[in-house]
Amino acid sequence: MSDCSTCIVRNRAICASLNAEELAILGKMGRRQRVKAGQTLLWEGDDAPVVANVLAGVLKLAVSTADGREQIVGIVFPSDFIGRPFGKESPYSVTAMTDADVCIFNRNSFDAFAGTHLDLQQKLLRRTLDELDRARHRMMLLGRKTASEKVASFLLEISERLSGYGCAPERHGRFELPFGRQQIADILGLTIETTCRQLTRMRSDGVLDLPSRREVVINDRAAMEAMAG
Amino acid sequence: MSDCSTCIVRNRAICASLNAEELAILGKMGRRQRVKAGQTLLWEGDDAPVVANVLAGVLKLAVSTADGREQIVGIVFPSDFIGRPFGKESPYSVTAMTDADVCIFNRNSFDAFAGTHLDLQQKLLRRTLDELDRARHRMMLLGRKTASEKVASFLLEISERLSGYGCAPERHGRFELPFGRQQIADILGLTIETTCRQLTRMRSDGVLDLPSRREVVINDRAAMEAMAG
DNA sequence: CGACCCTTTGATTGCTGTCAATTATCGTGG
DNA sequence: CCACGATAATTGACAGCAATCAAAGGGTCG
């Protein structure tokens, strides 16, 4: 059982739609769990007996081909929802990219609860619609953008999303990536080498700085927006 | 006002969740409209005052860059739902690829109605989740598959989806594409030339036949599945 | 029959992937 | 604290796939 009243995402997660009484019921169903970076919570194609809210950390949703190519199809931040309500198999794997805390529910119990709570379901619907918009936006990126456009678009989107969670001071011009180069490549449908070269070129063009492996400073946001296509 | 009792998608569209009384209310809100092939219903970035059900025909959801590149981010078949509930702007354009019939609702009225009808909202949620799965599946295709894998995957997916609507006799080995080569290219993130070459190669390999511009016959489904990656 | 559009085919370019080697960073243990 | 090994990132050379540019073929519709 979880103590929802002290939950750090209480007001941003789907639970925000619930009153104290409902929260108590849902709270009894949930349990908190810590996930280490690199650990996989759900496997692509496997039965997915759980859904969850993210309390802290960043996770990736990924699809793989038989020969090992990976495409990251979603990135999940604190207060986001994980899992596939009303569906048995998980169509993608869910893996922690940083150490993470999640609030896990049995899927069947959650489905039943959601089925009788209109507000919760509406929150879920809105989130799913937003996520669908993001997915479609990224389809354009994957299908029609060049390597430099991809990297520029990616940096802008990430700086936006990170700023929404209070992780980015300085008008989100500076931020820390929650993932390495290979994972950026897997998000953008590029190789690590191409990703790297684009970043290097942007740095030598003065558009950004790379103070450390995971830090990014956007010097010229306008230029980067132009580059994003 | 529409006569829902004679609606051809009555049992497959989201309306299937409604009883006679509810249907009468929603029916009063909706109006049928014919859309000619090529005509655009909603424009990317514009205010989208309507949502709709597709009664007949096939429509595309597309995103474009400033310099004219297009990526098709969704394909909509009869009984599918169009539009963005709970959101003002349409994040993509909606254009008919064949002559089509749609059942249109004012978005605000529909949102209000959906907000008080749990079953309808649940149907909408399920559909949105399915569409999100498809979108993510296609992100893998766009980001990580080769041209031949893309074309093979595409033909298999389309033959599946068409068979779901009674458009494909002969164990869906033969079917008619509801779109031309350029649109296939826009779905797959390829150029029309590359798309064309892949199809030609598959034909000369004997995997498929192309009796006419829009007809496809899959001769060797196993080979095509192997090719799809 | 002719104009137009869509499709197909061909030649060439170039972006990105692949393969390989070097450098930088981080964690670990002496 | 430093040395070391392991892992991640970067850079370079080269190849190949798909894009681009160009032209011809095939259907359709007036």
Side-chain angles (χ1 to χ4, degrees):
Chain A
M1 171 180 165
S2 311
D3 182 5
C4 298
S5 63
T6 64
C7 178
I8 43 176
V9 298
R10 164 80 178 92
N11 294 312
R12 289 183 291 142
I14 51 172
C15 319
S17 63
L18 304 173
N19 61 36
E21 192 183 345
E22 294 166 324
L23 205 60
I25 301 172
L26 192 64
K28 269 194 198 131
M29 289 166 39
R31 69 173 199 279
R32 292 195 188 180
Q33 187 173 318
R34 167 141 294 185
V35 189
K36 286 257 172 251
Q39 191 181 335
T40 294
L41 209 62
L42 262 41
W43 296 92
E44 180 183 352
D46 278 11
D47 281 358
V50 298
V51 297
N53 276 316
V54 180
L55 305 180
V58 183
L59 300 91
K60 66 175 178 181
L61 315 181
V63 177
S64 295
T65 56
D67 60 345
R69 285 170 285 177
E70 174 170 305
Q71 176 65 50
I72 294 180
V73 297
I75 310 169
V76 185
F77 290 98
S79 85
D80 285 347
F81 184 81
I82 292 176
R84 180 62 169 87
F86 313 123
K88 204 155 85 8
E89 290 186 3
S90 178
Y92 41 76
S93 65
V94 179
T95 305
M97 295 206 278
T98 65
D99 288 347
D101 293 318
V102 294
C103 177
I104 288 189
F105 304 94
N106 173 284
R107 189 175 54 73
N108 291 323
S109 312
F110 182 87
D111 285 359
F113 185 82
T116 57
H117 291 262
L118 194 111
D119 289 350
L120 180 72
Q121 200 170 89
Q122 188 172 106
K123 272 238 178 317
L124 210 47
L125 176 57
R126 280 169 188 268
R127 262 168 201 281
T128 308
L129 285 164
D130 285 345
E131 192 57 39
L132 181 56
D133 286 347
R134 262 198 294 273
R136 284 175 165 158
H137 195 75
R138 209 168 288 162
M139 284 172 70
M140 154 57 82
L141 178 148
L142 291 168
R144 291 302 189 200
K145 291 195 174 180
T146 64
S148 55
E149 288 172 333
K150 285 181 178 180
V151 173
S153 306
F154 164 77
L155 291 174
L156 289 170
E157 190 197 327
I158 287 295
S159 85
E160 289 293 328
R161 287 192 76 184
L162 284 178
S163 73
Y165 303 95
C167 314
E170 292 186 34
R171 325 171 24 258
H172 47 92
R174 173 188 290 259
F175 55 94
E176 186 176 334
L177 296 169
F179 23 65
R181 295 286 187 270
Q182 180 60 60
Q183 288 170 326
I184 299 176
D186 288 339
I187 291 166
L188 300 178
L190 298 171
T191 58
I192 186 172
E193 294 94 332
T194 300
T195 305
C196 206
R197 273 186 257 269
Q198 296 302 330
L199 286 171
T200 306
R201 198 155 67 81
M202 286 182 182
R203 189 187 48 185
S204 50
D205 289 351
V207 182
L208 54 74
D209 283 329
L210 302 167
S212 75
R213 280 188 173 180
R214 302 208 160 189
E215 274 178 300
V216 178
V217 183
I218 298 178
N219 292 325
D220 189 342
R221 182 167 288 263
M224 185 154 291
E225 277 162 3
M227 218 183 288
Chain B
M1 171 182 168
S2 310
D3 180 4
C4 299
S5 62
T6 64
C7 180
I8 43 176
V9 298
R10 165 78 177 92
N11 295 311
R12 290 183 290 142
I14 51 172
C15 318
S17 63
L18 304 174
N19 61 34
E21 192 183 346
E22 293 168 325
L23 205 60
I25 300 171
L26 192 64
K28 271 196 197 128
M29 289 166 41
R31 69 172 197 281
R32 293 195 186 178
Q33 188 174 318
R34 167 140 295 184
V35 189
K36 286 259 173 248
Q39 191 180 332
T40 295
L41 209 62
L42 262 41
W43 295 92
E44 178 184 353
D46 278 12
D47 281 359
V50 296
V51 297
N53 278 315
V54 180
L55 306 180
V58 183
L59 299 92
K60 67 175 179 182
L61 315 181
V63 178
S64 296
T65 56
D67 60 346
R69 284 169 286 176
E70 174 171 306
Q71 177 65 50
I72 294 179
V73 298
I75 309 171
V76 186
F77 290 99
S79 84
D80 285 347
F81 183 81
I82 293 175
R84 181 62 168 87
F86 314 121
K88 205 156 81 20
E89 290 186 5
S90 178
Y92 42 76
S93 65
V94 179
T95 305
M97 295 207 277
T98 66
D99 288 347
D101 292 318
V102 295
C103 177
I104 288 188
F105 304 95
N106 173 285
R107 189 175 55 73
N108 290 325
S109 311
F110 182 87
D111 284 1
F113 185 83
T116 56
H117 292 260
L118 194 111
D119 290 349
L120 181 73
Q121 198 169 90
Q122 189 172 106
K123 272 238 177 319
L124 210 49
L125 177 56
R126 281 170 188 267
R127 262 170 200 281
T128 308
L129 286 163
D130 285 345
E131 192 57 37
L132 181 56
D133 286 347
R134 261 197 295 276
R136 283 174 166 159
H137 195 74
R138 206 167 291 159
M139 284 171 70
M140 155 55 84
L141 178 147
L142 290 167
R144 290 301 188 200
K145 291 195 175 180
T146 64
S148 57
E149 288 173 332
K150 284 180 178 180
V151 173
S153 307
F154 165 76
L155 291 174
L156 290 170
E157 189 196 329
I158 286 296
S159 84
E160 290 293 328
R161 287 192 75 185
L162 284 177
S163 72
Y165 303 98
C167 313
E170 293 184 34
R171 322 171 26 255
H172 49 88
R174 172 190 290 263
F175 54 94
E176 187 176 334
L177 296 169
F179 23 65
R181 296 287 186 271
Q182 180 61 60
Q183 288 171 325
I184 299 176
D186 288 339
I187 291 166
L188 300 179
L190 297 172
T191 59
I192 186 172
E193 295 93 332
T194 300
T195 305
C196 206
R197 273 186 257 269
Q198 297 301 330
L199 286 171
T200 306
R201 197 152 68 80
M202 287 180 181
R203 190 186 47 186
S204 50
D205 289 351
V207 181
L208 54 75
D209 284 328
L210 303 166
S212 75
R213 281 187 173 180
R214 300 209 161 188
E215 275 178 299
V216 178
V217 182
I218 299 179
N219 292 324
D220 189 344
R221 184 168 286 264
M224 186 155 290
E225 276 161 5
M227 218 183 288

